[in-house]
Amino acid sequence: MASKDRILRQKEETRNNILGAAYDIVKDEGWNGLSMRKIADRIEYTAPIIYEYFSNKEAILEELTGKGFIKLAKELQTAKGKFEKPEDQLEAMWMTYWDFAFTNTEMYQLMFGVQMTCCAQRCSAQEAPYKLFTGVIAEIMKDSNPSEDIIKQKYFTFFSVIHGLIAINIINKSDILETINAQILKDAITGIIKSIQ
């Protein structure tokens, strides 16, 4: 039994090494620089070993996308947990979302298709951030007994503004633009929260 556990741990470690190497390559060269051959070279494996774990580059991208959404959901949950009032939770969560995008820029680009094609297949992990946000929005709006469609609409109002600002900042990196957008972000979050109270 111990040897089976060891083999499973080694397989998981190899899988994580492949994903880590892929992400390191992307940080150095961008998403266009990623290839199965480069991953194999980076971790000193043969390409066939990489293909034992991932059938193609798209499979690696899908796995990384899922990991990105899991990480984002954890960070949003932590931000939410710091406040009791739903309005404060929502503001903290969107600010965390913003920070996530710039702390994990390459991951965000993959997750949301900024300057690249994101994975065509939806992963189950991407539902968690959405559910966290809509849960808090529903709590803020509970007195008006909103439908699911209204809650979804409010979520996408937030998402459209914030994602748009993030995409502008990723595509046109500028300290001045970043400062302006940070203020626009704060104003937008505050304004949208006021509109749903």
Side-chain angles (χ1 to χ4, degrees):
M1 192 64 173
S3 68
K4 275 188 177 179
D5 289 343
R6 189 179 73 250
I7 290 168
L8 287 173
R9 277 195 312 274
Q10 287 173 336
K11 284 187 171 195
E12 188 60 27
E13 185 178 318
T14 301
R15 186 177 182 79
N16 287 332
N17 287 343
I18 293 167
L19 293 170
Y23 197 55
D24 288 344
I25 290 166
V26 168
K27 284 185 168 188
D28 293 342
E29 302 177 33
W31 287 105
N32 292 333
L34 184 64
S35 71
M36 298 298 263
R37 169 65 54 205
K38 285 182 182 178
I39 294 168
D41 291 346
R42 174 76 59 118
I43 53 179
E44 299 177 349
Y45 291 170
T46 62
I49 290 177
I50 306 296
Y51 284 105
E52 283 179 33
Y53 290 86
F54 297 97
S55 58
N56 53 33
K57 188 170 95 169
E58 181 71 16
I60 290 174
L61 296 180
E62 286 175 17
E63 184 83 16
L64 287 171
T65 298
K67 287 185 176 295
F69 279 109
I70 289 167
K71 182 176 182 180
L72 175 59
K74 285 180 184 174
E75 291 183 18
L76 293 173
Q77 188 66 54
T78 299
K80 178 184 174 190
K82 292 179 181 176
F83 298 93
E84 287 187 32
K85 286 178 58 182
E87 295 83 0
D88 295 336
Q89 290 174 339
L90 193 57
E91 181 176 344
M93 289 166 67
W94 281 115
M95 295 305 287
T96 297
Y97 182 96
W98 174 270
D99 292 341
F100 176 89
F102 294 105
T103 305
N104 305 279
T105 304
E106 295 83 7
M107 186 65 69
Y108 188 88
Q109 288 177 292
L110 176 63
M111 292 161 63
F112 295 101
V114 178
Q115 288 189 304
M116 68 168 296
T117 304
C118 58
C119 294
Q121 189 154 346
R122 289 179 54 94
C123 66
S124 58
Q126 75 186 96
E127 289 297 313
Y130 170 78
K131 286 181 179 177
L132 282 164
F133 280 119
T134 55
V136 176
I137 291 168
E139 180 64 26
I140 292 171
M141 299 181 72
K142 69 181 177 192
D143 291 343
S144 63
N145 197 25
S147 67
E148 273 188 49
D149 285 343
I150 295 293
I151 293 167
K152 189 177 190 177
Q153 177 188 5
K154 296 303 181 183
Y155 165 78
F156 280 109
T157 300
F158 275 108
F159 177 78
S160 298
V161 171
I162 295 165
H163 174 69
L165 289 172
I166 289 168
I168 289 167
N169 275 283
I170 288 174
I171 293 166
N172 301 311
K173 291 184 179 172
S174 158
D175 291 340
I176 295 168
L177 192 58
E178 191 173 323
T179 303
I180 292 168
N181 279 337
Q183 187 56 52
I184 294 169
L185 171 71
K186 187 83 168 148
D187 292 346
I189 292 171
T190 303
I192 298 168
I193 289 173
K194 283 180 182 172
S195 78
I196 64 176
Q197 289 176 318

